[in-house]
Structure formats: structure tokens, C-alpha cells
Amino acid sequence: MPEPVLFNTLGRQLAPLDPVEPDLVRIYTCGPTVYNEVHIGNLRTFLFEDLLRRSLRHLGYRVVQVMNLTDVDDKTIQGAHRAGLSLADYTEPFIQSFWRDQDTLHMERPEHFPRATEHIPEIIELIARLIEREFAYESDGSVFFSIARDPDYGKLSGFDLAQVRRGERVANDEYGKDDVRDFALWKAVKPGEPAWDSPWGPGRPGWHVECSAMSMKYLGPTFDLHCGGVDLIFPHHENEIAQSESATGLPFVRHWVHSEHLIVDGQKMSKSLGNQHTLKDLLDRGYTARAVRYLFLSVHYRQKLNFTFESLEGAAGALRRVDEMRFRLAHAQEGGEPDARLAEAAGRLKADFTAALADDLNAAAALAALFVFVKEVNVAIEERRIGTGDRDRVAAALADADQVLDVLDPAAWPDAAAPADDDAAEDAVAEIERLVQARQDARKRRDFAEGDRIRDELAARGIVLEDTPQGTRWKRR
Ligand code: AMP
Ligand code: ZN
């Protein structure tokens, strides 16, 4: 298996994956803040993380992934307050809808799904340790991390602390800070807000410390990969490093991997522009989840994904090409010697696909390898080279790639190309092939009127013809 290389935001270069335990990769992925339904931008990041875990498994690693749910922070508290609900009642439907989206998009569930509200003791313990080690201080019932105590601060994002003047005061809710650059680990309760008891009085955790506490609880003080969208690099991940390394004295994470944002029609997604789509919006317009999955996988995770409906159409079209090949193969004549060219093509698919994923998760190149293979199979079908067992060999090669892609299983998808009834499908194919042959015979006789009539008849049945040097190909529109 090729050695995987991934871009490390820490150091800003491609670096070989170097897990603490050679065959096990421990991954922390910052999950959604559950104050509304996730949008397709969030889903792009979560799909990148699904690609990451599946690719690592494909490359022979075991994976333990944690994805937290941020179910207490400013936004969830404000939302619950406005809705007149408890925090738990307010966030639960958004958690459920996130899980539904995950299932719809065939994202594998992480091994652990911790909620911040269920880890308050661990969070308090971490904060207490930071106070004990003099990296944090209490002020009016809140606790702040003291950035001046951390000489490494800024190493992930390149953030220049000197740019922000020390001691500058800001009129916000964190008035008790010694230094404006400090950030809250614990926020003293305000009227009407949910609160938990702590050694510093009632309050709630800051967002950053939630992730440090939950990641180290499930993955240990030093783990392999930590991921999120690029907006999390600063301050969230910078702060996570500061808290975790100050508390343990150990390196926190070996490899930081961040995915670029999704934009819509070249613009940032925002409520005011009305371009903030959810998965449901796309499905309601008749697009399939697997087209969404395919589209998101087809753009490298370190490139901005410019979402347009045309690109989604393009993804659906690409999938139809694979479906058609599978449909034709299922109904092709099989017999005689296994085809050597087909075996070679399957071997090349496996090698190129795996190498592409190992190369900084280049799923676009992996998909290109898949389409080279699809073309080879189509040619083999046309040249009637499908030998005994070839059908199964092609299916196995596709299934292997689909362990990572998960876009091909027709049974699981509403727009499956293959008709439900196999006999009917075979009869339909036989009839189409008979007509295609009849048209060719007519053209040989130079009876072009008859040839065109048959072409129109096929078109009426949704079959389009393409004349190639190897003969006439047909496909479903
Ligand atoms: P949040 O719920 O805001 O904490 O975000 C959840 C995940 O979605 C984080 O990893 C963010 O970095 C990511 N994210 C937010 N907006 C976008 C976007 N437009 N494109 C891609 N990822 C995003
Ligand atoms: Zn986080």
C-alpha cells in the first residue's frame, strides 16, 4: 500500500501520515453547532472527513473518529432563549436532522459522538488544571486563558500576537480579562442562561475548551489527526492547541487537516443572499443525494468548491455513465476466455485509485481512474469480449472503489438505472439491440429514411444513439 501523504496546516506542507500507533489513526473532527439545520457548506466539510476515514481504511489503517456536538455555546443559548425552550429541547431536533443528513449522504458514523453538555466534569477538570499550572486565571466567576503565558501561541495559524495590543479593553461580555487577547474557558452565568456548578461558581464552558476536553478524553493527550473547515484554524484550533498543550505539556495533535469552504455561484453563502442551501433544498428540487456526494468528492478538499446547479447536473450525468455501463454489462453476453485487457484495466483501476487517495486525498484523480475503467468496460462490451467471470471481476473492482466513494449501489438509491424486474429488463435490452441492428442494416442498404425512422422510434423510448468507428452505441437518456 502507498504511504499516505496529507497537507499539514501546522507547518503548511505535505507530510507523511505518522500515527502514534502504526496501524491505527485517531481522528478528531469538530462537529456541528446544533442551533440550526446544517447547510451544504457544513456538509462539504463533513463529507471530506468521511472521505478521509474511508480512504485511510482503504489504505489499511484502523480508524477511531470522534465528532463532537457543540450543544452549548452563545448561538445555542440564544436560539433556545428566543424559542422559549430548554437547551436540550432546542438542540435535539437539529441533532436528529444532522444524523438524517449523514445517513442520506451515506456518511459513516464516527465511533464517538460526544455532546459538550455531557462532558462538563471533564471540562471543569481541564480548566482546573490550567489554573493550577498558571495558564489560566479566574475573574468574577469566569476563567480566562492567559495567552501571555504561552510562547507558542499562533504556531498553527501564523497569528501575530503583537498585532493586538496588550491590555486593550473591549466593551463585550468578557470585561474581566487581564488582556484582550485572552479567551474564556468558563463563562459566569448570566440571568436566564443555563448553568452548571463549578469551583468558580455557576456558569458554562467556552466553546474552545469543550473540544480540548472531549478530544483528549476519547483519543488521549496526543493523537493523529484533527480536522475541520478552514474557518476553524483561528481562533478555535489555535486555542485548542494552547489549552491542551499547556495542560499536558505534550504535543496535542500530529497532523492538522482543514478543508476549504463551499461557496455558491462564486459567492460566500449567507442568509442575506438567500443562497444558503440545505441538503433538503437540493433533494426537494429533484437531485439525488448520491449526486451531491459525488459532486462534493470530485473537488479536492483544499480547493474552494463552487456550488452551482449546473455542477450538480454534471455530477448526476457522470453517475449515469457508470450506471449505464453497469446496466449494459449486466445484460451483455458472457462466455469464453476471461478477457486479459479487462483484467489489466481492473488492476490499473485499483493501483491508480489507491495512489490518488494516498496523495493528499486526491479523490478527483481517483474518480478519473474510475472513468478510465468505465470506458474500458464499455469498449469490451461493444467488442463482445466479456468472458466467463468477467462480469463478476468488473463488479468486484467497482465495489472496491465504492467502499470509499459509496455512490454506486443502485438498490439503495431512488434513481437506480436498472429496472426492478430483471426479466423485463432483459427483454427491453434485447428489443433495443434488435432495433439498433435493424437500423444498421437499413443504413447498409442505404435506406436512410428507414434508418432515421428507427432512430426516432428509439428516441421516443428514451434511447439515444452514438455512431462510433467501433459501431453504434446506445444509452438511456
Ligand atoms: P459550525 O456548525 O459552524 O461549527 O461548522 C461545522 C463545520 O462546518 C466546521 O468544520 C466548519 O469549518 C464547517 N463550515 C462552515 N461553513 C462552511 C462552508 N461554507 N464550507 C465548508 N465548510 C464550512
Ligand atoms: Zn472544535
Side-chain angles (χ1 to χ4, degrees), residues 313-332:
E313 296 279 356
L319 282 171
R320 260 196 308 274
R321 267 164 48 214
V322 189
D323 294 342
E324 267 157 20
M325 177 277 271
R326 298 170 80 210
F327 182 77
R328 295 175 68 197
L329 181 68
H331 298 97

Side-chain angles (χ1 to χ4, degrees), residues 394-404 408:
V394 170
L398 290 176
D400 188 51
D402 206 43
Q403 297 231 315
V404 176
L408 297 186

Side-chain angles (χ1 to χ4, degrees), residues 72 120 122-132 134-139 141-147 174 177 182-188 198 200 203-213 239-240 242-244 246-247:
V72 51
I120 303 293
E122 288 86 348
I123 294 168
I124 289 177
E125 199 183 303
L126 179 60
I127 298 173
R129 191 132 125 227
L130 286 166
I131 295 178
E132 193 184 297
E134 297 178 8
F135 285 102
Y137 57 91
E138 195 247 304
S139 169
S142 293
V143 180
F144 297 97
F145 184 88
S146 175
I147 281 185
E174 293 172 358
K177 293 197 275 191
D182 294 349
F183 59 89
L185 299 170
W186 188 260
K187 298 185 176 186
S198 83
W200 318 287
R204 61 178 170 102
W207 169 39
H208 313 301
V209 77
E210 296 176 2
C211 279
S212 281
N239 290 354
E240 280 193 51
Q243 299 156 158
S244 306
S246 301

Side-chain angles (χ1 to χ4, degrees), residues 28-31 68 70 207-208 211-212 226-227 232 236-237 240:
Y28 188 83
T29 45
C30 290
N68 73 297
T70 303
W207 169 39
H208 313 301
C211 279
S212 281
H226 196 129
C227 313
L232 298 189
H236 186 51
H237 288 163
E240 280 193 51

